[in-house]
Structures are given as C-alpha cells and as structure tokens.
Amino acid sequence: MKWLPNRHSHLTIHQQIIDWIKQRIQSGEWPIHTKLPPQRKMAEAMGVNRSTIVNAIEELVADGILSARVGDGTYVSNNSWNVLVKSNHPDWEKHISSSIYEPNFQTIQLINEYEQREDIIRLGTGELSPELLPTAALQRSLQDISLTARDIGYSEPKGSRPLRHALSRYAIQRGIHVTPDSIMIVSGALQALQLISLGLLEPGSTVFQESPSYLNSVRPFQSAGMRIISLERGERDNHWLEQIRAMKGKKQSLFYTVPTLHNPTGSIMSLEERRELLQIGAAQQIPIIEDDVYHELAFGEIPPALKSLDTSGQVLYIGSMSKTLSPGLRIGWVIAPEPVIDRLADIKMQTDYGSSAFSQQIARHWLESGLYEQHIVQLRGQLKQRADFVTGILRSRFSRIATWHEPTGGFYIWLRLHEPLVNKALFLKLMKQKVLINPGYIYDAKDFHHIRLSYAYASFEQLETGLNLLYGAIVEGT
Amino acid sequence: MKWLPNRHSHLTIHQQIIDWIKQRIQSGEWPIHTKLPPQRKMAEAMGVNRSTIVNAIEELVADGILSARVGDGTYVSNNSWNVLVKSNHPDWEKHISSSIYEPNFQTIQLINEYEQREDIIRLGTGELSPELLPTAALQRSLQDISLTARDIGYSEPKGSRPLRHALSRYAIQRGIHVTPDSIMIVSGALQALQLISLGLLEPGSTVFQESPSYLNSVRPFQSAGMRIISLERGERDNHWLEQIRAMKGKKQSLFYTVPTLHNPTGSIMSLEERRELLQIGAAQQIPIIEDDVYHELAFGEIPPALKSLDTSGQVLYIGSMSKTLSPGLRIGWVIAPEPVIDRLADIKMQTDYGSSAFSQQIARHWLESGLYEQHIVQLRGQLKQRADFVTGILRSRFSRIATWHEPTGGFYIWLRLHEPLVNKALFLKLMKQKVLINPGYIYDAKDFHHIRLSYAYASFEQLETGLNLLYGAIVEGT
C-alpha cells in the first residue's frame, strides 16, 4: 500500500482517502468481505493522522460501503451499493480455501512477511547478509556477459548447455562424475523438490525425512498429498536408519536428506552413515534425494557426497547458488539418471519454460571465470568469523539455559533450550520486540526446545542485540 | 550427448566407446532397461563411423551388458553383471509413469526437441526470430542496471516493488487502473496458469476455454485433474458464449481466454463480445483469466482489455515480456484482486521463491527507460513486414487449397485447409524434410484442417522454402 494523498490537491485529504478506498472497491481489488488493513497501518503508510483514517472509514460505514465488526476490524460490506456495482463477484475466497495447496503455516507466513521489513533483527534467516553478497562484483560481471540471440530465447528443456558443461566440471570437484545430459537447471532447490513431487510421485507416495527437517517448513510434498514419515535421529548413530528397513513394501517412496550441514541442525552425516544409508536405500529400492546446497560452506573437510558414492543411480542430487552467491539469481541444479532428468525437464517446460537465461549466463560466467571459487573462499572465512562471534555470545550468556554444537560450516546453530519454551508465544513476543526467530516447531511440529539460529544474515551488532533480547525473553518466561 | 572420443589417447576409439558406455551404466545415468540412442545418432554425435558403434555395442552385447531387441534398438540389460553393480536400482520408471503429471503429448515433445536443432525450418514457433530479439540492446542495457544487495536477495513474495510500480504505470496505458499491491511477478504466463491451477482450483474444477485453445498444448489444468470444457466458436458471434449459461451450478470454474490476438487463431474479440463475456461471467460467478501477452503486437487499434472493463474484480489478467522482449527473461505478471494476488504469491514462494532478480531488474530498466516502448514500435513494423510476406506467398500458392484471415498483429495465421489433411503423418513427413509445423490437433484434438503458421520465427528465406515444402507435402497427400 504505497498510495499517498496529494497535499496540493483541491480535494481534502479526508475526501481523497474516501475516494481511494472506493476506487479499490470499485476496481475489484478489494472484493466483498475483504478486511481492510489496520487503521494504524493505513495512517502510517499514508503519512496522515490516525483520526483522519477513522473519520474516512466512519463515513464509508455510514454509507454502507464498509462495515465495522467490533474487535475485528473493518470489512468491505455486502450491501445494496455494493450489490449495484459488484453483485456478481466470483467467489475467490471459495477458490482459495478449497484449492490443492495448503496455506503455508501461519508462523512461516509471518516470517516471510516480517523478513521484508527493514527494522527487524533476523536471527533465523537462512540467507546471506547483504554485506556478504558480492553485489559490486556481480554488477561488474554483467559487463563481461556476452549474449547471443540464442541465449535469450526459450531455453533447452534441461537448461543452458554451456552452464551444464560448467556444472559437470564443477560436480567432478565434488567427486560426482556426470555428463551435462544428466544435469538440469532449476530455479533453486525448492523448485527441484516441486518438480520431483509433480513428476516422480503420486498422492499417497511416502517421503521419508530426517526429523527435524527443512521440508516441514516448505511442504512441496505435503501439499501434493504425499505422506511424510519423519525418522527420529536418536543418540546412537545409524540406528535411526534401521527404521526404514521396517517400512518394506511401500509402493513409491523417497528419502530426502541434507547430509552435509543439515538444515536446521547444521550436522554432517558421517561416511559410515552415508554408506549405510545408500545400502539400505538400495536394498529397499528407495531413491534418495541429496540436498547439498551448503557443502561449499564447510569450514573443514567433509565426507564425499552421497551421489559420488552412488554406483546404482539411486541418488538424485540437488545443488544451488542461492546459499553461496545470490538468492535472487534463482539458479540451482539437479543431477540424476538421464531418464529422471528428461522427465523432470519435461515437467519444468510445462511449468515455467525454463529458468532465466540471464541468470544462467551469470552463473556460467562465475563458474567458468573462477569468480565463484574465489568468492566462496572469502565467504567461508566471513561465515567462520560470524560463527565464532555468535558462539562467543552463546558461551557467555546461554550456557546456563541451553546447549549447542560448535558450527562446522553453513549458516546454522541448532540451539537447544533445556526447557520447552520455544512456542508461538515466545515467537510473537520476540516479534513485538522486532526480533525474528525460526522456532524449532516449524521443522518438527512437536519440538519446543530448539531455535534455528543463523549467523549468516544479521549484522554483528544486530546479532548481539538480538541474542540479548532472546535471552531476556527466555529468562522472563521461566 | 556431447562426448567425443579422444583421437590422441593410447586407447582405441573402439575401447573408448565401450568404456564410455560402461561408465554411463555404472554411474547409474543409464539404468537397467534404458534404451540406447540410435546407432546412427551416436555415430554422428561422436564423429565416428557407424560400424565403430556397431562393433562396440556387439562386444557389450556379447558381455551381457547390453541386449539387442530385433527391430527395437539396444537396451541396458538386466543380467548378472548388472545385478552385481546395480541390482538395487530404484524403479524410477515406475515413478515416472504413475506420477501426477501427464507426459506431454508426443507431438509437442517432438516439437520441443526439434526446435533445438539448428537445421530445421520452424514454421509454427510462437517465438520471436533471433533477428527480431534486441540482443545487442539488451546486452548494452546490462551496463545500466544498478544492483543493491537487496535486489539480489530473496524477493518479496509479489516480486520486485520497483518493477511492480513500473508495471502499474504500464497497465494504465492499457486502461487498467491498478496499484502495485494487486500485481505479482511471475516467470512467464505459463507459470501464472500453473499457480492458478495450484492455488485457486481443485481437482474436478471446470475450466472453460475457447476451442481451439493454446491450453490444449500446455495442459497446466488438465495435468492437475481439472475438467476442460471447450466452447466452439461458431460463425455467429456471441452465440458460443451462451453455452456457458447452460452450465449453471458448477462448483468451481474459470473461463480462460486470449481475447486479443488469440493463440492459435490470431483473432480479436469484439468489444461487444467482451462486454457479453463479462456479463455472463458475472451472472454465473465465473472468474475470467485474460491472457493478454500479444496485445502490444497489434498492427492497428484494438478493443480495451477485459480487465479494463472489469468493475467487479472478476478478471485475472496475465501479461508477459516473452513475446515482445525476450523469452529467456522469463518475466510475466498477474493483475487480480489483492486477496487473489496474495494467495498466488504465497504459492509462488512455496514453488520457487520468486523469479530471477536479475531478470526483474532488466524488465524494470526497460520499462522505466522507455527502451521497451521504443523496441515494441520497431518490432511491430518488422512483424507486419513478415506477415505481408507470408500472406503474399499464401495468396500466390495456397489459395486453391486453403483459407485464412489477414493477420492483424501478433505471430500467427490460422491456415485452414479445405481437406482434413493435417494429421500426424503430415507432421512427420514434414519433419523428415526438416520443416516443423504446429498442427491444429495440438490445440483441438479433433481438428485436422488447421495449421498454426507463425511468421515470427523463421527467416524470410526459410519461410519461403518451408511454405513451398508444406505446399508440396499437402498436394502430394491429396
């Protein structure tokens, strides 16, 4: 809502606001039953006194155009005036509520919404801080991109061939020997999951995942009617995988995992566990989705990718530049057996006709020129500094109330409070204090012990302030 | 398949080919039952004699790694060798065949595949010719893009705010008065349809469309289990819309239309018809999707957009830069009542986290700088020239066997043969002659009279050659 009244108009501000509201209703932007934004918010947005808004709304209520429900805001009403201009509204609300896609969890929607605000401290955001993004270098690199007409037309179903060549060379560094034909470009890892859900599964299929799991916060499978089985990772290594053995006979299933720098826990699966997972997956004929978008950000040595150990084509590998270079690029990739890639590429063509050619050219340039590697080395150092800073604060303030593991890369610390205090009330309380956290319950609905802290996004100063406020809010609650 | 044997290797070409095939099998790229590419094609791709391929394959068959089925090519076999290394393949094929998404029609898949080839004359392609794309200007403009860290992070759910501002000003030129809050950015018009199908409909919903319809060739609704009802546009104007009146009581339905420069017919709905459609839609409470991606390309005056006549928020409007600026940009937009936009934006965030920030910056720059308008004016002239050229050929060669309407803009001529000769055999025959057509039956399964000719893609020389070959193929068939 960015409209401002015109201070130089011959109309009063009061009248302009009335006209503006009427115009939105008449144009159908605000159909019948639409709830108006809070008066305070409207007043702020328009830069007027709240009383000006109150008066305008009162007049429209008197005219029967709006109706006020006590304690529940103001709505576009369904009266004769409305009936005259808009009697025949399609019932969009009905469309919305009964459609395929489940509405995103309310907490996640709130996070998405508040992340847009400048004045908020984002303690959980799984995204690089603006100061860690190579904005200037990206802008400079635009001058080195050379485009042909072919580059800016519709892309091949699997995506730009030169980019896939560059990625096949890049994959080899991760031990994954693959030809460009077995790679496809996607608009980020989430789209890969979306395409898998549309292209390789059917409603009623089973998706196994580790608990907690990033999947619970994005839900591409749940929304498409797949069954999710979460495997609790107890203390004893490997034991949790045994649960899959018991699940024999499922018609269609997949195992989704982030083996390296897990989201949200930050953990790294051992080589032994990786081998066991592959062996169990093979025995049970359960393909594995390896989400490997954080591996470049490991501070030390990491075990090989599952895909590099895969001799039977059972692993579908997902990579991305969203966590390393720029989320706005929207470039990720899938590596899988060629028939699987062909299928997913066909679905992608039916979904959005391929990813941005410009983004693909930029990604290719960064890979081929070595800019990407250079940037990653630097970024890793910066993230390590931030990780040290946050663990320093944790050690000095949180030791009494929580435990955590020393981060070994990526963005996250999976902070575990001794008490189950991480509920929606804590989330909302912190939100009021302009601190946004990612509570554990969005990754595991029954987890009220954990918070996914991210040291990647907020500034050092914000991290300190935010953690202090977090500490205060927790201690107050005990 | 871009692998080439190394002529300087100490291994023979024969041995390298064997190793290469084995490697693809071992890595799981070619799982059991994979059909190998035709020997001729492999030989061409590797730049070797066909006999070299034949020998290598024979050796692998002898080893039991491949098996040849007479008249049906060569397959990765399921024998003890394979059992050893790959016994436990997940059954990807099963995943593929039973998943939600219907495989794209075979003809459409062939078109998608052959469109990638350099040596083919594309008489039907709904895409600007490389020579009509402003490649150099786009490249130059990259230097004028200035990026902030915010621009290259994750985008707002509705897309870049400055781009939405620019689009709201652009929409006003089309008579559509809308604020940036009621606009969202999508990765092209097809993604808009995809989001509508996920976000506003449920399986069993009804989508009305004109017959023939572009929708039959992309199928975002069919694949999600929606019912499609095609309305035949007979000779008498308006009569066809009356069919909707008879359809009362459908729980959820939408009407999809391309009122301006229709795909595939190129027709323009009259103002009278537009009003009637709005009135019927309102009476039946059927929201209307207005796909308006060609309107900038009209050679003369056109009636106002349905959305500009919409006083009750019943129209969801789709625009795009794919047909005007660059398909590779992947930028389109949706204009609809705000609750609908909010809903679609939420789904988009769950699907791909927004469109490329770089593409959005480019689109914004082209709109704000006036480059876009300048380009459109020039493009329109070029398309008119091409339209005149093609109708010239049609008049001199096709008058005896076909009818068509003089194009009034856009890309297409809906050529109607007197005889129902436009079947798959004609399509394949022309494909062998390296001419690709879009037969009418991909827009209306029972239509064997029409061809969608596009004057936008092929060069003048190719248009002439292609049309001559088309004429020959048709006449031969009679």
Side-chain angles (χ1 to χ4, degrees):
Chain A
M1 201 174 62
K2 277 286 174 201
W3 176 81
L4 294 176
N6 178 355
R7 307 254 165 207
H8 308 295
S9 165
H10 66 285
L11 293 174
T12 61
I13 303 283
H14 173 78
Q15 191 55 49
Q16 289 182 54
I17 293 173
I18 288 183
D19 290 349
W20 180 79
I21 294 176
K22 277 190 181 170
Q23 219 272 317
R24 302 203 89 176
I25 297 172
Q26 268 178 303
S27 70
E29 278 186 64
W30 286 354
I32 295 174
H33 305 314
T34 298
K35 185 177 183 178
L36 267 62
Q39 298 174 345
R40 190 187 37 73
K41 214 174 138 186
M42 287 173 76
E44 266 176 33
M46 297 180 187
V48 300
N49 288 332
R50 182 158 169 194
S51 61
T52 313
I53 300 288
V54 171
N55 291 340
I57 286 179
E58 272 175 6
E59 185 170 326
L60 289 164
V61 169
D63 288 350
I65 292 166
L66 300 176
S67 58
R69 298 187 200 158
V70 179
D72 187 33
T74 313
Y75 289 79
V76 177
S77 63
N78 186 10
N79 70 354
S80 56
W81 185 88
N82 271 312
V83 170
L84 194 67
V85 290
K86 347 181 324 69
S87 62
N88 293 313
H89 272 288
D91 189 356
W92 287 114
E93 272 307 319
K94 189 170 142 207
H95 278 271
I96 289 171
S97 61
S98 60
S99 66
I100 294 175
Y101 241 72
E102 293 184 28
N104 215 333
F105 278 148
Q106 205 219 337
T107 296
I108 296 164
Q109 282 178 331
L110 283 172
I111 291 174
N112 286 340
E113 189 188 330
Y114 275 77
E115 281 185 347
Q116 303 306 325
R117 294 176 51 161
E118 301 277 2
D119 60 343
I120 222 109
I121 295 180
R122 295 157 62 172
L123 283 189
T125 299
E127 183 180 342
L128 288 176
S129 168
E131 61 193 68
L132 296 180
L133 293 174
T135 313
L138 269 165
Q139 173 147 357
R140 275 196 307 278
S141 73
L142 292 181
Q143 300 186 20
D144 301 323
I145 307 282
S146 68
L147 298 173
T148 66
R150 196 180 175 85
D151 294 329
I152 63 172
Y154 286 106
S155 107
E156 284 186 59
K158 294 180 190 174
S160 151
R161 182 165 282 279
L163 174 57
R164 287 186 286 125
H165 270 276
L167 283 170
S168 80
R169 287 189 295 272
Y170 188 67
I172 288 170
Q173 298 173 30
R174 183 92 175 98
I176 300 166
H177 292 267
V178 69
T179 63
D181 287 339
S182 293
I183 300 179
M184 75 174 284
I185 311 300
V186 290
S187 302
L190 181 62
Q191 186 179 53
L193 300 178
Q194 180 71 17
L195 295 173
I196 291 165
S197 130
L198 286 171
L200 301 177
L201 296 172
E202 59 187 30
S205 300
T206 305
V207 176
F208 294 99
Q209 64 181 10
E210 298 145 300
S211 178
S213 175
Y214 161 69
L215 275 194
N216 287 329
S217 70
V218 289
R219 308 163 64 74
F221 297 117
Q222 291 90 323
S223 292
M226 280 108 218
R227 222 179 120 206
I228 306 292
I229 296 184
S230 297
L231 305 178
E232 300 286 344
R233 276 187 94 149
E235 287 308 301
R236 278 196 300 138
D237 263 2
N238 299 10
H239 176 74
W240 64 290
L241 287 172
E242 292 298 324
Q243 297 169 70
I244 302 180
R245 281 205 217 275
M247 303 288 179
K248 205 149 185 163
K250 300 258 169 281
K251 51 173 182 173
Q252 279 200 320
S253 47
L254 284 176
F255 185 84
Y256 170 85
T257 178
V258 188
T260 302
L261 298 168
H262 182 267
N263 180 0
T265 68
S267 68
I268 296 179
M269 198 184 280
S270 69
L271 180 56
E272 186 199 354
E273 258 182 314
R274 286 171 199 242
R275 288 197 202 280
E276 181 146 6
L277 173 57
L278 285 169
Q279 190 229 309
I280 293 173
Q284 303 289 74
Q285 304 238 344
I286 296 174
I288 295 165
I289 301 175
E290 177 177 28
D291 185 342
D292 201 31
V293 301
Y294 295 99
H295 80 87
E296 288 104 328
L297 305 178
F299 300 152
E301 288 292 306
I302 47 172
L306 287 170
K307 184 69 191 163
S308 71
L309 305 170
D310 172 25
T311 54
S312 62
Q314 67 177 317
V315 177
L316 186 153
Y317 177 93
I318 301 175
S320 168
M321 290 187 173
S322 296
K323 302 300 180 188
T324 51
L325 179 57
S326 149
L329 202 59
R330 308 308 311 126
I331 292 295
W333 51 94
V334 175
I335 299 174
E338 205 172 330
V340 176
I341 291 293
D342 287 344
R343 168 68 174 166
L344 295 177
D346 186 36
I347 308 278
K348 176 146 168 78
M349 287 304 272
Q350 295 180 59
T351 305
D352 66 6
Y353 278 131
S355 297
S356 161
F358 295 86
S359 289
Q360 293 188 64
Q361 289 298 320
I362 294 167
R364 170 195 173 187
H365 176 67
W366 275 66
L367 283 171
E368 286 179 348
S369 65
L371 278 173
Y372 188 62
E373 279 293 333
Q374 279 166 36
H375 163 67
I376 297 285
V377 170
Q378 193 189 354
L379 177 61
R380 231 182 261 138
Q382 290 168 314
L383 285 171
K384 179 74 170 76
Q385 260 191 314
R386 289 169 157 264
D388 291 344
F389 181 74
V390 166
T391 48
I393 296 174
L394 293 181
R395 267 194 300 273
S396 72
R397 301 221 57 173
F398 284 72
S399 296
R400 205 174 44 82
I401 58 169
T403 55
W404 62 92
H405 291 284
E406 214 54 27
T408 53
F411 294 174
Y412 309 121
I413 295 172
W414 189 231
L415 187 72
R416 185 184 194 279
L417 303 195
H418 300 327
E419 303 297 325
L421 298 170
V422 189
N423 49 30
K424 191 146 179 200
L426 181 73
F427 171 80
L428 292 173
K429 182 158 123 191
L430 283 160
M431 210 170 77
K432 276 203 188 119
Q433 299 179 51
K434 308 210 166 174
V435 174
L436 205 55
I437 59 165
N438 281 32
Y441 64 77
I442 66 178
Y443 308 102
D444 173 357
K446 42 187 201 318
D447 179 356
F448 299 103
H449 275 284
H450 285 94
I451 296 171
R452 184 186 84 174
L453 289 180
S454 162
Y455 46 82
Y457 191 82
S459 67
F460 285 86
E461 194 190 333
Q462 285 181 322
L463 285 168
E464 183 155 17
T465 311
L467 286 169
N468 282 337
L469 288 168
L470 172 62
Y471 179 79
I474 294 167
V475 172
E476 216 174 83
T478 51
Chain B
M1 201 175 66
K2 277 287 173 199
W3 176 82
L4 293 176
N6 178 358
R7 306 254 164 206
H8 308 293
S9 165
H10 66 284
L11 294 173
T12 62
I13 303 283
H14 173 78
Q15 191 55 46
Q16 289 181 55
I17 292 172
I18 287 182
D19 290 349
W20 179 78
I21 293 175
K22 278 189 179 170
Q23 219 272 318
R24 302 205 88 176
I25 296 172
Q26 268 178 303
S27 70
E29 279 186 65
W30 285 355
I32 295 173
H33 304 315
T34 298
K35 186 177 181 177
L36 267 63
Q39 298 174 346
R40 190 187 37 72
K41 216 176 136 185
M42 287 173 75
E44 266 176 34
M46 298 181 187
V48 301
N49 288 332
R50 181 159 170 193
S51 61
T52 314
I53 300 287
V54 171
N55 291 340
I57 285 177
E58 273 175 6
E59 185 169 326
L60 288 164
V61 170
D63 287 349
I65 292 166
L66 299 176
S67 59
R69 299 188 200 155
V70 179
D72 187 33
T74 313
Y75 289 78
V76 176
S77 62
N78 185 9
N79 69 355
S80 57
W81 186 86
N82 272 313
V83 169
L84 194 66
V85 289
K86 342 174 338 64
S87 62
N88 292 314
H89 272 287
D91 190 355
W92 288 113
E93 272 307 319
K94 188 172 142 208
H95 279 271
I96 290 172
S97 62
S98 60
S99 66
I100 294 174
Y101 241 70
E102 292 185 28
N104 215 334
F105 278 148
Q106 205 218 336
T107 297
I108 296 164
Q109 282 178 329
L110 284 172
I111 292 173
N112 287 340
E113 188 188 329
Y114 274 78
E115 281 185 345
Q116 303 305 327
R117 293 178 51 161
E118 300 277 3
D119 60 343
I120 222 110
I121 296 180
R122 294 156 63 171
L123 283 190
T125 299
E127 183 181 342
L128 289 175
S129 167
E131 62 195 66
L132 295 181
L133 293 174
T135 313
L138 269 165
Q139 173 146 357
R140 275 196 308 277
S141 73
L142 292 181
Q143 300 185 21
D144 299 323
I145 307 281
S146 69
L147 298 173
T148 67
R150 197 180 175 83
D151 294 329
I152 64 172
Y154 285 106
S155 109
E156 284 186 60
K158 294 180 190 175
S160 151
R161 183 165 281 277
L163 174 55
R164 287 185 287 125
H165 270 276
L167 284 170
S168 80
R169 287 190 294 273
Y170 188 67
I172 288 170
Q173 299 173 28
R174 183 94 174 97
I176 300 167
H177 292 267
V178 70
T179 63
D181 287 339
S182 294
I183 301 179
M184 74 174 284
I185 311 301
V186 289
S187 303
L190 181 62
Q191 186 179 54
L193 299 178
Q194 180 71 17
L195 295 173
I196 291 165
S197 129
L198 287 171
L200 302 177
L201 296 173
E202 59 188 27
S205 300
T206 305
V207 176
F208 294 99
Q209 64 180 9
E210 298 145 300
S211 178
S213 175
Y214 161 68
L215 275 194
N216 287 329
S217 70
V218 290
R219 307 164 66 75
F221 297 116
Q222 291 90 323
S223 292
M226 279 107 217
R227 221 178 121 207
I228 306 291
I229 296 184
S230 297
L231 305 177
E232 300 287 342
R233 277 186 95 149
E235 287 307 303
R236 277 195 302 139
D237 263 0
N238 300 10
H239 176 74
W240 64 289
L241 287 173
E242 293 299 323
Q243 295 169 69
I244 302 181
R245 282 205 218 277
M247 302 290 177
K248 206 151 182 164
K250 300 259 169 280
K251 50 172 184 175
Q252 280 200 319
S253 47
L254 284 175
F255 185 85
Y256 169 85
T257 178
V258 187
T260 302
L261 297 168
H262 182 268
N263 180 0
T265 69
S267 68
I268 296 178
M269 198 185 279
S270 69
L271 179 57
E272 185 199 354
E273 257 182 316
R274 284 171 200 243
R275 289 198 203 281
E276 182 145 6
L277 172 57
L278 285 170
Q279 189 228 309
I280 293 173
Q284 304 288 73
Q285 306 237 342
I286 296 174
I288 296 165
I289 300 174
E290 177 176 29
D291 185 343
D292 202 30
V293 302
Y294 295 99
H295 80 87
E296 288 104 328
L297 305 178
F299 300 152
E301 288 291 306
I302 47 171
L306 286 170
K307 183 71 193 163
S308 71
L309 305 170
D310 172 24
T311 55
S312 61
Q314 67 176 316
V315 177
L316 187 154
Y317 177 94
I318 301 175
S320 167
M321 290 188 171
S322 297
K323 302 300 180 187
T324 52
L325 179 56
S326 149
L329 203 58
R330 307 310 309 126
I331 292 294
W333 51 95
V334 175
I335 299 174
E338 206 173 329
V340 176
I341 290 294
D342 287 343
R343 168 68 174 164
L344 296 178
D346 186 36
I347 309 278
K348 177 149 167 75
M349 287 305 273
Q350 295 180 58
T351 305
D352 66 7
Y353 279 132
S355 297
S356 161
F358 294 86
S359 289
Q360 293 189 65
Q361 288 299 320
I362 294 167
R364 170 195 173 186
H365 176 68
W366 276 65
L367 282 170
E368 286 180 349
S369 64
L371 279 172
Y372 189 61
E373 280 292 333
Q374 279 167 36
H375 163 67
I376 298 284
V377 170
Q378 193 190 353
L379 177 60
R380 230 182 261 137
Q382 290 168 312
L383 285 171
K384 179 73 170 76
Q385 261 192 315
R386 289 168 157 265
D388 290 345
F389 180 75
V390 166
T391 48
I393 297 173
L394 292 181
R395 267 194 300 274
S396 73
R397 301 220 58 172
F398 285 72
S399 296
R400 207 174 44 80
I401 59 167
T403 56
W404 62 91
H405 291 285
E406 214 56 28
T408 53
F411 293 175
Y412 308 122
I413 295 173
W414 190 231
L415 187 71
R416 184 184 194 280
L417 304 194
H418 300 327
E419 303 297 326
L421 297 170
V422 189
N423 48 29
K424 189 143 180 205
L426 181 72
F427 171 81
L428 293 174
K429 183 159 122 190
L430 282 160
M431 210 170 78
K432 276 203 187 119
Q433 299 178 51
K434 308 211 165 170
V435 175
L436 204 56
I437 59 165
N438 281 32
Y441 63 77
I442 67 179
Y443 308 103
D444 173 358
K446 41 187 203 318
D447 179 356
F448 299 103
H449 275 284
H450 285 94
I451 296 170
R452 183 185 85 174
L453 289 180
S454 162
Y455 45 81
Y457 191 82
S459 67
F460 284 86
E461 194 189 335
Q462 286 181 322
L463 285 168
E464 182 154 17
T465 311
L467 287 168
N468 282 337
L469 288 168
L470 172 61
Y471 178 80
I474 294 167
V475 171
E476 218 174 80
T478 53

